[in-house]
Structure formats: C-alpha cells, structure tokens
Amino acid sequence: MAEIYDLIVIGTGSVGSSTGYYAAKRGLSILEIDSATPPHTNGSHHGETRMIRHAYGEGSSYVPLVLRAQELWNELKRDTQVDIFHQTGVLNIAPKQSSFLNNIITSAEKYELPIEVYDVSEARKKWPQFTMPDQFRAVLEKNSGYLKSELAIDTYVKEAKRLGAHEQFNTQVISVDNDDNGFVHVTTNADTFIGKSAVITVGTWVKDLIPNLPIQPVRKVVSWFEAPKQLAEEIGFPANKGLIKIGRHQGGQYITKREERLDFDALNEDRTEIEPLLNSVLKTVSNLDHGVACSYDLSPDEHFIVDNLPGKKNIQFVSGLSGHGFKFASVLGETLVAKALNETLDFDLSPFLLSRFNS
Ligand SMILES: Cc1cc2nc3c(=O)[nH]c(=O)nc-3n(C[C@H](O)[C@H](O)[C@H](O)COP(=O)(O)OP(=O)(O)OC[C@H]3O[C@@H](n4cnc5c(N)ncnc54)[C@H](O)[C@@H]3O)c2cc1C
C-alpha cells in the first residue's frame, strides 16, 4: 500500500522548502514535490539575494511576522553554519510624502524598531554616492540586510532530507483534492501521492492548480551593474564580484503562460527600464554586466494570501507574495506546519485571507 504522508509540500521553492524543513524538524513524515530541482531559475527565488526589511513599508501588519522570520533566519544560520543572512542595513530614499517611507516610520514607531531618519541635507552628506532631490529624505534601518535566497533553499532542502523528508523532484503536480475520507490526493505526471494534509506553495503559476485565484503572473527583470569602487566599499552596498544588483519593483509585463517569461534582453526595455533611476539617483553607476528574468505572483492589493482551499481544512496554500515574499519564507513555513498540526498560531493571519477579495 502507498505511504500516507503527514504532509505533502507541493512546490519546494522559497516557502515550500521552508515548510518541508520545519515539518521534518517537527518529526512529520513529509513528501516534497517540485517540477524542477530546487533551487533553480524557473521560479521566483533566483538571482542570489533578497532583501529583508523589518520596519515594513508595505504595512505594519507584517512586522510581527517579519520579526519572527528574522529570528528563524538567524537560527538557521546558527544551526547550519551557512551564511544566509547578511546584516548590511537597508537605506530607503524617497520623496518626503512617499507612503512607503511613512509606513516604515509608522511600523518602526508601533513596534519600537530602531530606524534613523535623515533630512535631505544630512543624507547628502552621509551618502554622497546618491543624488537626492530637495524633496527627498532617507530612512536607515541598520538591523536589516539581505538573504542569500538560493543558498537558503539549498540549505532547507538538504536539512529536510537529512531529517528524513522524501523528495519527488522534476515532477509536475497536475491536481490536488480530497477523497471521501479526507485524505489529500496529489496527482502528478509521475504518480499519485496521498497525504493527511498538503500545502500548495507553487509561486507564480498557482492558477494551474487553483484556477479561481485573483493572481496575475508578472515577468520581471533584475540587472547587475559594475559597481564604482566607492559605492561598493563605502556604504556596504552588497556588491558581489564587483557588481551591484539593481531591480525595479514596479512595472514588468503581465503574462499568462510560462513561455512568455522570456529571458533577459528579449525586450528592449529590459536594458532601459532602470535608466531613469540611474540618471536621477545613482549617477555613479552605468555599465550593465548582465541580467535575469524572474516572475511575481501579484495579488490585486499586492498583499499575501495565506489560507485553506475553500471547504478543505487540510489543504493550505500561500500565494500573492507579490514580489516581497522571500524574507517571510522562514516564518510562513513554520506557520503552515503549525496550522497543519492544528496548533494555536502566534500571528494574526486574518489580513491575508482570500475572502477579503469577495466583496
Ligand atoms: C526580481 C525579484 C526580486 C525580488 N526581491 C525580493 C526582495 O528583495 N525581498 C523579498 O522578500 N522578496 C523579493 N522577491 C519576491 C520573492 O522572491 C518571492 O515572493 C518568493 O521567492 C516566492 O516564493 P514562492 O515559494 O511562492 O515561489 P518559488 O520560490 O518560485 O517556489 C515555487 C516552487 O513551486 C514549483 N512549482 C510550480 N508549479 C509547480 C507544479 N505544478 N508542480 C510542482 N512544482 C511546481 C516551482 O518549481 C518552484 O520551485 C523578489 C522577486 C523577484 C522576482
């Protein structure tokens, strides 16, 4: 008879690999499925690094989650000796009236997080590498930094395996449903697997499995530029091999099929979309070295969706990470496992329910 897993992870990328790790740590029998071998470049987690910010510009409801996420990233680094988190600090520069900047300040006040706020003249003196228009100000968050995203996934996958997780990689999940006894049947192009519970963490192409979700896949590019020595060394801008990574959160191309996520340089704007930023704020940077294409799973309000499939208590999903989800992968994994075990949660996940889009 086929093994019945305690938990099946469908999509072992950022959130899925963390879920697999925390489930294995809790002694659950688990199966991790992925259409490729994670980490890889088909999903949303490649390109070496992801920022982690605590005083959250997207809204203070994320702060308790991101603080727990940071604790878990630190714990992972301590337990595995793998350098995943790098505390470089994060500098936010924006017009004074920017709601993002104001949300950072509100989040910091509400949760007593240390930030430093500079008016434009102080900021220009402190960071002469940046050109700042008069109406700008700067907020520095020293405790934040960046995470090595592919290294983190590699670490989660290896550790989960060491703790007994089963892997079914290079396998495409086609459908997920409950049988009459409440077991989850996960049908793939290889076999059908059975679990007491499952999490769907497939990122951009979630609508293949949950067609009615209000998710828009977006093609995004990110580029690496030759870093002037002064920029790379003086402010600890995370330059790697003399290159700094620059991306633009807004914009990108709405897509409907995997094939439409064309490689970097397929579109003229891949090279030019960042130019206005370079010309206005980062005049010391010019030479493009290379770029990659990646993708977002954009929700209508750009906030996460963390929920159960309607009417199915044992099938959870995470979606709509909308280009800012990597930093939360650790805490989302821990939380999905706690939910699968019917434990009381430490966080209020009600802002992230799918039902907010019903009205
Ligand atoms: C350019 C760029 C920059 C970003 N910068 C930041 C940042 O600075 N900070 C931050 O916090 N976030 C950032 N993000 C967002 C963050 O990377 C994503 O929100 C996060 O990686 C998404 O995680 P995920 O687990 O949902 O998806 P993924 O990591 O893509 O994992 C999904 C997995 O599911 C698998 N899969 C898909 N379909 C199937 C199927 N049918 N069957 C089996 N397996 C399947 C895929 O192969 C993949 O491994 C950025 C994203 C991009 C693209």
mmCIF file of all heavy atoms in Angstrom, residues 227-247:
data_model
loop_
_atom_site.group_PDB
_atom_site.id
_atom_site.type_symbol
_atom_site.label_atom_id
_atom_site.label_comp_id
_atom_site.label_asym_id
_atom_site.label_seq_id
_atom_site.Cartn_x
_atom_site.Cartn_y
_atom_site.Cartn_z
ATOM 1 N N ALA A 227 30.081 48.051 -10.222
ATOM 2 C CA ALA A 227 29.964 48.962 -9.078
ATOM 3 C C ALA A 227 31.185 49.853 -8.998
ATOM 4 O O ALA A 227 32.310 49.348 -8.940
ATOM 5 C CB ALA A 227 29.864 48.145 -7.797
ATOM 6 N N PRO A 228 31.009 51.180 -8.992
ATOM 7 C CA PRO A 228 32.164 52.030 -8.729
ATOM 8 C C PRO A 228 32.725 51.640 -7.362
ATOM 9 O O PRO A 228 31.961 51.321 -6.452
ATOM 10 C CB PRO A 228 31.572 53.441 -8.677
ATOM 11 C CG PRO A 228 30.195 53.315 -9.209
ATOM 12 C CD PRO A 228 29.768 51.895 -9.090
ATOM 13 N N LYS A 229 34.036 51.635 -7.249
ATOM 14 C CA LYS A 229 34.695 51.155 -6.039
ATOM 15 C C LYS A 229 34.114 51.807 -4.785
ATOM 16 O O LYS A 229 33.776 51.140 -3.810
ATOM 17 C CB LYS A 229 36.187 51.480 -6.143
ATOM 18 C CG LYS A 229 37.073 50.515 -5.401
ATOM 19 C CD LYS A 229 38.510 50.727 -5.859
ATOM 20 C CE LYS A 229 39.490 49.801 -5.208
ATOM 21 N NZ LYS A 229 39.569 49.762 -3.810
ATOM 22 N N GLN A 230 33.907 53.122 -4.911
ATOM 23 C CA GLN A 230 33.436 53.900 -3.771
ATOM 24 C C GLN A 230 32.042 53.416 -3.329
ATOM 25 O O GLN A 230 31.763 53.277 -2.154
ATOM 26 C CB GLN A 230 33.415 55.367 -4.223
ATOM 27 C CG GLN A 230 32.623 56.322 -3.388
ATOM 28 C CD GLN A 230 31.890 57.324 -4.296
ATOM 29 O OE1 GLN A 230 31.468 56.992 -5.404
ATOM 30 N NE2 GLN A 230 31.746 58.534 -3.825
ATOM 31 N N LEU A 231 31.189 53.064 -4.300
ATOM 32 C CA LEU A 231 29.839 52.640 -3.975
ATOM 33 C C LEU A 231 29.861 51.269 -3.310
ATOM 34 O O LEU A 231 29.131 51.003 -2.368
ATOM 35 C CB LEU A 231 29.001 52.591 -5.261
ATOM 36 C CG LEU A 231 27.508 52.362 -5.089
ATOM 37 C CD1 LEU A 231 26.881 53.476 -4.274
ATOM 38 C CD2 LEU A 231 26.833 52.292 -6.442
ATOM 39 N N ALA A 232 30.715 50.416 -3.828
ATOM 40 C CA ALA A 232 30.753 49.054 -3.300
ATOM 41 C C ALA A 232 31.369 49.009 -1.908
ATOM 42 O O ALA A 232 30.973 48.202 -1.079
ATOM 43 C CB ALA A 232 31.539 48.169 -4.250
ATOM 44 N N GLU A 233 32.317 49.879 -1.636
ATOM 45 C CA GLU A 233 33.033 49.742 -0.374
ATOM 46 C C GLU A 233 32.533 50.664 0.723
ATOM 47 O O GLU A 233 32.469 50.299 1.880
ATOM 48 C CB GLU A 233 34.532 49.978 -0.603
ATOM 49 C CG GLU A 233 35.147 48.804 -1.357
ATOM 50 C CD GLU A 233 36.604 49.012 -1.686
ATOM 51 O OE1 GLU A 233 37.131 50.064 -1.306
ATOM 52 O OE2 GLU A 233 37.183 48.123 -2.321
ATOM 53 N N GLU A 234 32.128 51.898 0.342
ATOM 54 C CA GLU A 234 31.885 52.870 1.395
ATOM 55 C C GLU A 234 30.583 52.663 2.148
ATOM 56 O O GLU A 234 30.479 52.957 3.325
ATOM 57 C CB GLU A 234 31.931 54.281 0.817
ATOM 58 C CG GLU A 234 33.355 54.735 0.614
ATOM 59 C CD GLU A 234 33.428 56.163 0.140
ATOM 60 O OE1 GLU A 234 32.419 56.868 0.256
ATOM 61 O OE2 GLU A 234 34.500 56.548 -0.341
ATOM 62 N N ILE A 235 29.526 52.219 1.475
ATOM 63 C CA ILE A 235 28.277 52.062 2.226
ATOM 64 C C ILE A 235 27.868 50.608 2.358
ATOM 65 O O ILE A 235 26.763 50.298 2.735
ATOM 66 C CB ILE A 235 27.125 52.861 1.602
ATOM 67 C CG1 ILE A 235 26.869 52.379 0.167
ATOM 68 C CG2 ILE A 235 27.348 54.346 1.678
ATOM 69 C CD1 ILE A 235 25.504 52.771 -0.328
ATOM 70 N N GLY A 236 28.780 49.707 2.050
ATOM 71 C CA GLY A 236 28.448 48.296 2.197
ATOM 72 C C GLY A 236 27.313 47.874 1.278
ATOM 73 O O GLY A 236 26.554 46.965 1.571
ATOM 74 N N PHE A 237 27.131 48.548 0.171
ATOM 75 C CA PHE A 237 26.166 48.119 -0.838
ATOM 76 C C PHE A 237 26.549 46.690 -1.196
ATOM 77 O O PHE A 237 27.720 46.421 -1.438
ATOM 78 C CB PHE A 237 26.303 49.034 -2.073
ATOM 79 C CG PHE A 237 25.017 49.277 -2.794
ATOM 80 C CD1 PHE A 237 24.227 50.366 -2.473
ATOM 81 C CD2 PHE A 237 24.625 48.423 -3.798
ATOM 82 C CE1 PHE A 237 23.044 50.588 -3.151
ATOM 83 C CE2 PHE A 237 23.435 48.648 -4.474
ATOM 84 C CZ PHE A 237 22.640 49.729 -4.152
ATOM 85 N N PRO A 238 25.609 45.746 -1.171
ATOM 86 C CA PRO A 238 26.031 44.358 -1.332
ATOM 87 C C PRO A 238 26.548 44.032 -2.736
ATOM 88 O O PRO A 238 25.845 43.475 -3.562
ATOM 89 C CB PRO A 238 24.772 43.557 -1.000
ATOM 90 C CG PRO A 238 23.653 44.507 -1.113
ATOM 91 C CD PRO A 238 24.191 45.878 -0.877
ATOM 92 N N ALA A 239 27.777 44.434 -2.982
ATOM 93 C CA ALA A 239 28.399 44.120 -4.264
ATOM 94 C C ALA A 239 29.028 42.739 -4.176
ATOM 95 O O ALA A 239 29.619 42.378 -3.173
ATOM 96 C CB ALA A 239 29.461 45.153 -4.595
ATOM 97 N N ASN A 240 28.832 41.982 -5.220
ATOM 98 C CA ASN A 240 29.427 40.655 -5.278
ATOM 99 C C ASN A 240 30.258 40.607 -6.545
ATOM 100 O O ASN A 240 29.752 40.933 -7.622
ATOM 101 C CB ASN A 240 28.298 39.612 -5.310
ATOM 102 C CG ASN A 240 28.821 38.197 -5.227
ATOM 103 O OD1 ASN A 240 29.996 37.980 -4.925
ATOM 104 N ND2 ASN A 240 27.965 37.244 -5.507
ATOM 105 N N LYS A 241 31.510 40.231 -6.432
ATOM 106 C CA LYS A 241 32.432 40.198 -7.576
ATOM 107 C C LYS A 241 32.403 41.527 -8.332
ATOM 108 O O LYS A 241 32.340 41.564 -9.574
ATOM 109 C CB LYS A 241 32.075 39.052 -8.512
ATOM 110 C CG LYS A 241 32.218 37.691 -7.849
ATOM 111 C CD LYS A 241 31.823 36.579 -8.808
ATOM 112 C CE LYS A 241 31.694 35.265 -8.074
ATOM 113 N NZ LYS A 241 30.593 34.450 -8.503
ATOM 114 N N GLY A 242 32.343 42.630 -7.584
ATOM 115 C CA GLY A 242 32.401 43.954 -8.200
ATOM 116 C C GLY A 242 31.120 44.396 -8.879
ATOM 117 O O GLY A 242 31.095 45.403 -9.572
ATOM 118 N N LEU A 243 30.038 43.650 -8.690
ATOM 119 C CA LEU A 243 28.784 44.001 -9.347
ATOM 120 C C LEU A 243 27.704 44.286 -8.301
ATOM 121 O O LEU A 243 27.635 43.592 -7.285
ATOM 122 C CB LEU A 243 28.307 42.842 -10.229
ATOM 123 C CG LEU A 243 29.269 42.388 -11.320
ATOM 124 C CD1 LEU A 243 28.711 41.156 -12.032
ATOM 125 C CD2 LEU A 243 29.506 43.510 -12.338
ATOM 126 N N ILE A 244 26.889 45.322 -8.562
ATOM 127 C CA ILE A 244 25.740 45.535 -7.685
ATOM 128 C C ILE A 244 24.460 45.232 -8.451
ATOM 129 O O ILE A 244 24.363 45.428 -9.656
ATOM 130 C CB ILE A 244 25.684 46.966 -7.095
ATOM 131 C CG1 ILE A 244 25.630 48.026 -8.184
ATOM 132 C CG2 ILE A 244 26.826 47.207 -6.142
ATOM 133 C CD1 ILE A 244 25.270 49.386 -7.640
ATOM 134 N N LYS A 245 23.506 44.741 -7.681
ATOM 135 C CA LYS A 245 22.247 44.275 -8.274
ATOM 136 C C LYS A 245 21.201 45.376 -8.134
ATOM 137 O O LYS A 245 21.030 45.923 -7.040
ATOM 138 C CB LYS A 245 21.823 43.035 -7.501
ATOM 139 C CG LYS A 245 20.537 42.420 -7.929
ATOM 140 C CD LYS A 245 20.287 41.208 -7.034
ATOM 141 C CE LYS A 245 18.923 40.639 -7.248
ATOM 142 N NZ LYS A 245 18.619 39.586 -6.266
ATOM 143 N N ILE A 246 20.528 45.691 -9.222
ATOM 144 C CA ILE A 246 19.509 46.735 -9.164
ATOM 145 C C ILE A 246 18.237 46.216 -9.824
ATOM 146 O O ILE A 246 18.262 45.681 -10.935
ATOM 147 C CB ILE A 246 19.974 48.026 -9.876
ATOM 148 C CG1 ILE A 246 21.298 48.501 -9.258
ATOM 149 C CG2 ILE A 246 18.904 49.113 -9.761
ATOM 150 C CD1 ILE A 246 21.836 49.793 -9.835
ATOM 151 N N GLY A 247 17.117 46.373 -9.115
ATOM 152 C CA GLY A 247 15.840 45.938 -9.668
ATOM 153 C C GLY A 247 14.786 46.997 -9.422
ATOM 154 O O GLY A 247 14.942 47.853 -8.557
#
